[in-house]
Amino acid sequence: MTVPHPERVDEPVAAARPASPWQGQAPVVAMVSLGGAIGASARYGATRLWPVETGGFPWTTFWVNVIGCAVIGVFMVVITDMWAAHRLVRPFFGTGVLGGFTTFSTYAVDIRRLVDSGHPGTGLAYLAATLCAALTAVWLAVTATRRALVRRRR
């Protein structure tokens, strides 16, 4: 058996590792997390300031969702039509802050509580009103923002 001479031994070639799906995504995840914490804290603050009586219409969650939808309408027009935003602005504010502020889960729980507590009519009204108001808020915000931008450019 022969022993290779150390000066002739080739260094092992490092195996090529596949790129991690998280590689380069850490800043995005961090911004969504930070924004989500801010948005969820704001929503929690709103529910503490304006609590809802058991069986009553959940006005706080309703208005949080409607206002959040209006803001996302304005935000999306501004960052797509007017301002070349940094790549982390949309994840931070759109997904994080507004995603944490608005809440589909609380909306669903509110409907369930209303139905379970013997207020199915209020639950149904809340279900329909939130959907209609949120969609209307986005549409009005997008339309108004685009019109304001057109006037500003003149």
Side-chain angles (χ1 to χ4, degrees):
M1 182 169 176
T2 61
V3 178
H5 296 282
E7 64 271 6
R8 288 195 261 162
V9 176
D10 294 333
E11 292 291 322
V13 177
R17 287 192 218 168
S20 165
W22 290 100
Q23 191 173 16
Q25 292 299 312
V28 174
V29 172
M31 288 297 101
V32 170
S33 299
L34 178 63
I38 293 167
S41 296
R43 175 174 34 90
Y44 177 74
T47 61
R48 300 299 295 166
L49 285 171
W50 301 288
V52 176
E53 294 179 25
T54 303
F57 193 90
W59 287 108
T60 304
T61 304
F62 174 82
W63 286 113
V64 159
N65 286 334
V66 171
I67 290 166
C69 286
V71 173
I72 196 74
V74 171
F75 176 68
M76 291 307 294
V77 170
V78 169
I79 68 165
T80 56
D81 295 359
M82 184 179 138
W83 177 42
H86 185 276
R87 73 179 189 96
L88 296 176
V89 170
R90 187 173 176 176
F92 170 75
F93 191 73
T95 306
V97 174
L98 292 175
F101 183 65
T102 59
T103 171
F104 182 77
S105 58
T106 302
Y107 165 66
V109 168
D110 286 344
I111 294 166
R112 177 71 186 250
R113 282 185 188 152
L114 287 167
V115 171
D116 288 350
S117 67
H119 301 91
T122 305
L124 185 60
Y126 175 55
L127 182 133
T130 298
L131 179 63
C132 292
L135 290 173
T136 301
V138 171
W139 180 79
L140 287 173
V142 166
T143 302
T145 305
R146 284 197 173 131
R147 286 184 181 167
L149 289 175
V150 166
R151 284 190 203 127
R152 184 176 176 203
R153 290 179 185 159
R154 288 183 187 174

